[in-house]
């Protein structure tokens, strides 16, 4: 009789970006272990917090109830047989999976846990029979062999890093089907040459191990065959090696020209040649700025060359590469106003999206070890958010959370990049001031507004808010231009998204609204005659375009 082994996890959301890749890698390693081949049956069973049945769970003891649901589903597979359950833990699921392990152990299951949370706390979580700190592809099959041989073994295992050349791809092995998730997480490398103090890599080996080109090519061919719509590249320093980055971009362009790629990149290492190469495939870059305060970045061991950073961003903007920026609030040395200035700096660079996060002091990081000494107070439970640093009180954190929410709704969801800076300039207001006003006047009055994700509705909210704001400042005569550019770019972005045509009415000639002239709203209103026009948006060779209609 074979031993059932289930690799499982609880994902944070249901999205093409949330794939059980860690659990699938372990399943692949077990499946490919020659000594286990004929004696185990491996399966992958992932859950998501956004699964309909889990969403319906509410009330007191919610985590217990979710754990019970997960166990019921897993026990349907094991059917009372002695089994092994491998659990992949993260900050958002560890409490639930701890509870699940307690239940599973009473049903003939042996629980092995791994993942970032276990790696951060080797030996801390007693609910699991075995915990594996680090990459699990070598240790987990070893543990299973010993379980089968009734051998004694340590409960806490510090795993060695596997040779990536020996690992089989869970995609190529058919363990995980990207078509099922409408996307793929694509691992190109493990490790990072940097040591940012707040990251798990801060105590890593500082070496980067690459997957072979042979595996990469085969995975790309599979993505092409499966017509994968989007791929999230897992390589925190994709472009540090420019030669390899360009080689991969060319490979991507030749094998999967229609797939959309998301990369994490360092702006300091982008030159014009690389920026141009990014324009040859459908893609977006996410760039970790984290803080625009050099002193703060030094304190978290993330030296920053502002000049090179700005140069890299200007190459992206000039070549028309879509990119977003990340900022973290609560870093040591960051004050409320220095963070706000950093946000204004980031917004001035025209990012497509600006993601603003609260710092998490993750166990297992260099920052965690130094937290007390440098005056960081943080939640002792996941997600370990900072609640106070030496420079900011809890009240400042609340204000920054509000700013983050306003940015997410007004700027990101509201697709404000083409007009945000022009509107701020016209109002003679910093971007963060505008976002704070939006929070106070709109979000605080309608806390559920963030749940609205239809862009047309968001645009209406933006226009109503701005109409009042322009009026309060006696700038009504400029609002007509602002309204046009918001409506124009909104319609273009929706057509890009859906491919559907749209008809909109403008106050000015659409050609002028679409031109550089409209970037200076005051100048435009004072120099260009009003001329009502109606336009229709449509798709033209893969890009949204418009024509004037009667
Ligand atoms: S935050 Fe990114 S760049 Fe910094 S150490 Fe971690 S993975 Fe590397």
């Amino acid at each position: 009789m074979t031993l059932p082994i289930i690799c499982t996890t609880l994902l944070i959301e249901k999205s093409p970006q949330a794939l059980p890749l860690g659990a699938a890698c372990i399943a692949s390693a077990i499946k490919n272990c020659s000594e286990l081949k004929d004696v185990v049956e491996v399966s992958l069973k992932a859950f998501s917090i956004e699964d309909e049945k889990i969403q319906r769970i509410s009330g007191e003891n919610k985590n217990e109830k979710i754990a019970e649901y997960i166990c019921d589903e897993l026990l349907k597979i094991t059917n009372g047989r002695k089994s092994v359950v491998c659990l992949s833990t993260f900050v958002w699921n560890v409490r639930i999976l701890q509870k699940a392990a307690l239940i599973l152990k009473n049903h003939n299951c042996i629980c092995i846990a791994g993942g970032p949370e276990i790696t951060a706390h080797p030996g801390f979580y007693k609910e699991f029979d075995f915990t594996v700190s680090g990459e699990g592809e070598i240790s987990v099959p070893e543990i299973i062999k010993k379980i089968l041989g009734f051998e004694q073994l340590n409960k806490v295992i510090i795993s060695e890093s596997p040779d990536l050349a020996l690992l089989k791809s869970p995609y190529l092995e058919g363990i995980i089907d990207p078509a099922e998730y409408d996307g793929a997480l694509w691992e190109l490398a493990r490790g990072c040459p940097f040591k940012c103090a707040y990251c798990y890599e801060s105590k890593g080996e500082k070496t980067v191990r690459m997957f072979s080109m042979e595996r990469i090519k085969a995975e790309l061919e599979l993505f092409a065959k499966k017509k994968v719509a989007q791929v999230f590249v897992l390589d925190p320093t994709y472009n540090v090696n420019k030669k390899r980055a360009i080689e991969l971009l060319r490979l991507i362009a030749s094998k999967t020209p229609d797939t959309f790629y998301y990369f994490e990149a360092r702006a300091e290492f982008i030159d014009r040649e690389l920026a141009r190469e990014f324009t040859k495939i459908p893609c977006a870059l996410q760039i970790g700025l984290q803080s625009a305060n050099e002193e703060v970045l030094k304190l978290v061991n993330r030296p920053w060359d502002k000049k090179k950073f700005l140069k890299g961003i200007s190459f992206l903007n000039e070549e028309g590469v879509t990119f977003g920026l990340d900022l973290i609030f609560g870093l040591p040395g960051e004050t409320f106003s220095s963070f706000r200035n950093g946000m204004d700096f980031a917004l001035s660079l025209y990012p497509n999206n600006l993601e603003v996060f609260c710092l998490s002091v993750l166990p297992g990081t260099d920052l965690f070890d130094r937290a007390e000494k440098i005056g960081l107070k943080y939640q002792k439970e996941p997600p370990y958010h900072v609640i106070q640093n030496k420079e900011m009180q809890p009240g400042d954190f609340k204000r920054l959370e509000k700013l983050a929410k306003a940015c997410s709704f007004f700027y990101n969801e509201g697709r404000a990049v083409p007009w945000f800076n022009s509107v701020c300039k016209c109002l003679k207001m910093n971007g963060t001031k505008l976002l704070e006003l939006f929070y106070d006047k709109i979000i605080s009055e309608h806390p559920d507004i963030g749940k609205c994700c239809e862009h047309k509705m968001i645009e209406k909210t933006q226009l109503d808010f701005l109409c009042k704001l322009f009026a309060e400042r006696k700038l009504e005569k400029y609002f007509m231009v602002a309204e046009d550019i918001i409506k124009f770019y909104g319609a273009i972005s929706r057509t890009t998204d859906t491919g559907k045509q749209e008809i909109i009415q403008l106050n000015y000639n659409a050609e002028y609204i679409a031109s550089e002239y409209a970037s200076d709203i005051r100048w435009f209103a004072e120099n260009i005659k009003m001329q009502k026009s109606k336009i229709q948006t449509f798709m033209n060779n893969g890009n949204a375009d418009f024509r004037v209609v009667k």
Side-chain angles (χ1 to χ4, degrees):
M1 228 176 43
T2 51
L3 175 74
I5 299 177
I6 310 170
C7 295
T8 188
T9 191
L10 176 64
L11 302 164
I12 194 166
E13 59 184 358
K14 253 186 164 171
S15 84
Q17 208 173 350
L19 263 86
L21 186 63
C25 286
I26 299 303
S28 175
I30 298 166
K31 191 178 158 196
N32 284 289
C33 172
S34 55
E35 292 150 80
L36 293 176
K37 223 173 181 171
D38 301 321
V39 285
V40 301
E41 52 180 271
V42 198
S43 58
L44 175 71
K45 173 83 183 157
F47 302 87
S48 161
I49 289 180
E50 290 184 350
D51 284 346
E52 220 178 288
K53 286 189 179 157
I54 293 184
Q55 283 281 293
R56 272 194 244 129
I57 299 171
S58 59
E60 269 179 38
N61 306 325
K62 192 174 163 193
N63 281 357
E64 275 88 350
K65 289 182 200 162
I66 297 175
E68 280 164 21
Y69 167 75
I70 290 173
C71 292
D72 286 348
E73 293 299 305
L74 295 177
L75 293 171
K76 279 182 200 164
I77 303 171
T78 66
N79 207 9
R81 294 171 292 169
K82 179 181 175 183
S83 313
V84 173
V85 179
C86 304
L87 304 112
S88 198
T89 65
F90 296 88
V91 258
W92 63 82
N93 69 18
V94 68
R95 293 288 177 254
I96 295 171
L97 296 185
Q98 272 175 288
K99 293 180 199 303
L102 288 175
I103 302 170
L104 291 168
K105 280 159 70 172
N106 287 327
H107 289 81
N108 220 2
C109 297
I110 297 168
C111 294
I112 306 174
E117 262 302 293
I118 299 294
T119 301
H121 297 272
F124 177 78
Y125 293 108
K126 306 287 181 219
E127 296 79 359
F128 307 106
D129 296 290
F130 301 100
T131 54
V132 176
S133 169
E135 296 163 52
E137 282 106 336
I138 294 178
S139 301
V140 176
E142 284 303 317
I143 296 172
I144 295 168
K145 275 190 249 169
K146 289 190 174 159
I147 291 171
L148 284 164
F150 299 99
E151 286 180 49
Q152 285 295 318
L153 69 165
N154 287 337
K155 293 200 166 295
V156 180
I157 290 116
I158 310 291
S159 189
E160 19 165 339
S161 302
D163 175 352
L164 298 189
L166 301 177
L167 298 185
K168 300 271 189 211
S169 155
Y171 293 114
L172 299 173
E173 291 292 295
I175 288 174
I176 191 162
D177 181 359
E180 226 181 85
Y181 293 86
D182 200 27
L185 290 180
W186 194 29
E187 231 188 341
L188 298 182
R190 287 188 188 172
C192 178
F194 302 105
K195 281 184 164 288
C196 309
Y198 49 80
C199 172
Y200 288 123
E201 293 291 343
S202 58
K203 290 179 159 184
E205 293 163 7
K206 215 178 170 175
T207 54
V208 182
R209 292 170 295 140
M210 311 277 188
F211 282 100
S212 71
M213 269 296 173
E214 200 189 353
R215 167 173 161 150
I216 286 171
K217 273 186 201 158
E219 286 181 328
L220 273 178
E221 278 155 15
L222 178 83
F223 297 159
K225 193 171 141 207
K226 297 258 174 192
K227 296 193 179 6
V228 173
Q230 42 194 332
V231 170
F232 298 84
V233 177
L234 296 182
D235 183 345
T237 52
Y238 176 75
N239 63 318
V240 168
N241 181 339
K242 180 181 151 188
K243 195 168 159 259
R244 186 170 186 266
I246 291 182
E247 188 186 354
L248 282 170
L249 285 171
R250 290 184 181 158
L251 196 62
I252 288 169
S254 71
K255 304 257 182 212
T256 55
D258 300 323
T259 302
F260 197 96
Y261 282 80
Y262 294 89
F263 296 94
E264 287 176 62
R266 291 290 290 247
E268 293 93 319
F269 301 112
I270 291 172
D271 62 9
R272 191 170 298 282
E273 188 191 7
L274 184 57
R276 259 188 205 151
E277 216 57 49
F278 277 116
T279 64
K280 294 179 186 162
I281 61 164
C283 72
L285 274 54
Q286 196 63 25
I287 293 166
L289 170 60
Q290 320 308 16
S291 169
N293 183 329
E294 281 170 78
E295 290 310 308
V296 167
L297 288 170
K298 252 189 228 154
L299 288 173
V300 289
N301 203 19
R302 195 181 159 94
W304 183 50
D305 188 328
K306 187 174 179 180
K307 230 166 138 187
K308 278 194 185 160
F309 179 90
L310 285 171
K311 196 98 193 127
I313 296 289
S314 69
F315 288 133
L316 295 177
N317 275 325
E318 283 161 25
E319 297 298 326
V321 182
T322 303
F323 69 92
L325 295 173
D326 293 337
L327 282 174
I328 300 176
F329 62 90
L331 289 170
E334 192 86 271
T335 65
F336 178 77
S337 64
S338 72
F339 186 78
R340 221 166 157 265
N341 292 343
M343 247 181 110
D344 283 321
F345 168 77
L347 289 165
S348 75
L349 303 176
Y350 295 86
N352 191 54
N353 58 297
L354 176 60
E355 309 296 338
V356 180
F357 306 99
C358 180
L359 172 67
S360 285
V361 181
L362 298 170
T365 62
D366 173 45
L367 196 65
F368 179 85
D369 295 346
R370 291 194 280 131
E372 206 173 320
K373 206 166 145 204
I374 58 177
L376 284 181
K377 288 195 181 151
Y378 57 92
Q379 301 166 338
K380 297 296 174 208
E381 291 281 314
Y384 310 111
H385 278 162
V386 168
I387 40 184
Q388 203 172 326
N389 68 6
K390 269 191 185 159
E391 292 74 20
M392 287 197 283
Q393 298 302 310
D396 295 321
F397 280 84
K398 290 236 153 60
R399 286 173 69 194
L400 290 177
E401 269 163 34
K402 291 176 183 176
L403 204 45
K405 267 189 197 152
C407 183
S408 166
F409 185 80
F410 190 93
Y411 190 85
N412 298 349
E413 300 296 324
R415 305 176 192 179
V417 59
W419 50 262
F420 186 79
N421 287 325
S422 310
V423 166
C424 291
K425 191 174 158 210
C426 181
L427 287 162
K428 295 193 174 153
M429 193 180 268
N430 287 338
T432 48
K433 179 73 201 161
L434 181 79
L435 294 173
E436 278 170 352
L437 285 174
F438 182 75
Y439 187 93
D440 292 343
K441 288 179 191 279
I442 308 294
I443 302 183
S444 63
E445 298 291 319
H446 311 278
D448 279 344
I449 200 164
K451 289 182 188 152
C452 159
C453 49
E454 207 208 315
H455 182 254
K456 202 111 196 227
M457 289 303 296
I458 299 173
E459 184 183 282
K460 187 178 176 314
T461 313
Q462 289 168 325
L463 286 169
D464 291 347
F465 162 73
L466 288 173
C467 181
K468 284 188 193 134
L469 193 59
F470 273 74
E472 275 167 24
R473 298 187 169 225
K474 313 240 175 303
L475 297 171
E476 292 93 334
K477 66 175 174 177
Y478 301 125
F479 178 69
M480 300 266 216
V481 183
E483 183 184 26
D484 271 14
I485 56 175
I486 292 169
K487 281 164 77 174
F488 175 80
Y489 287 108
I492 289 283
S493 82
R494 289 190 293 275
T495 298
T496 307
D497 236 26
T498 62
K500 287 187 190 156
Q501 299 184 347
E502 236 182 72
I503 291 182
I504 55 163
Q505 185 87 49
L506 299 174
N507 303 306
Y508 288 86
N509 182 319
E511 297 288 347
Y512 297 152
I513 285 294
S515 76
E516 264 297 298
Y517 295 124
S519 62
D520 188 337
I521 294 174
R522 286 178 185 244
W523 181 91
F524 192 98
E526 282 155 15
N527 293 283
I528 306 282
K529 272 196 209 127
M530 281 206 351
Q531 184 192 347
K532 295 264 178 212
S533 65
K534 200 191 266 183
I535 62 157
Q536 181 178 49
T537 57
F538 62 98
M539 287 306 282
N540 185 9
N541 287 329
N543 293 314
D545 203 344
F546 70 95
R547 61 170 82 90
V548 178
V549 288
K550 296 236 162 121

